[in-house]
Amino acid sequence: AVPAQAIVEVAPVVARSRGLARDFLDMLRDAQFLRTMLLIGVPAKAIMTGVILFALPLLMSKQGFAQEDLGQIIMLYAVSVVLVSNFTARQVDRSGGVENALFWGALLSGVGMLLIAGSVWSPALDWRASPLLATGALILGVCVIGLAHGLINAPVITHVADSPVAARLGASSVAANYRFVERIGHVTGPVQIGRAHV
């Protein structure tokens, strides 16, 4: 299923590493790396783990959803991410519109969060009065967040690999460190939601 590609000889990139701690501090001093991490990567992971995987099942249980419905709705997030990631990676490779993909991904994450919040707390979408409308808003919100994260996942790595610090330290080193630091969102999402007493 993987298309054959001609092997292109590429000159090896010589990274000027000065040690893990110093390289990491250099990355934190780079504005593009820091903005990408704090405004895109960490919030996206916090939404995924804090809202979709942690809070959503609790909220849906309180609303009376069956266990199998919980799993199916959460799977819509994963399906949306996979479908859009494939398309986005090809589009970004062709056009190079990394910033546009990240912008729309961040914007749609917010829209999806509003839809999920409205389906649970909005008087206009009261579960008892209009279960079909509330469920539709919830499903739409989950799918929109999945689409948003599909727009973010691949382009965000391209974005940090093209940062000025990546030119100095090596793209693979910066991308690996970014992926590690981005995991802060995996921890902070559930912690923040847990503190809100869902």
Side-chain angles (χ1 to χ4, degrees), residues 103-171:
F103 170 77
W104 285 106
L107 185 67
L108 288 173
S109 285
V111 170
M113 294 280 287
L114 289 173
L115 284 165
I116 290 172
S119 73
V120 178
W121 289 297
S122 170
L125 295 173
D126 186 356
W127 175 256
R128 290 169 297 278
S130 56
L132 190 61
L133 189 59
T135 304
L138 179 69
I139 289 171
L140 183 61
V142 169
C143 289
V144 167
I145 290 177
L147 297 174
H149 289 179
L151 290 171
I152 291 171
N153 286 347
V156 76
I157 298 301
T158 301
H159 192 60
V160 294
D162 289 341
S163 64
V165 73
R168 292 192 312 271
L169 301 176

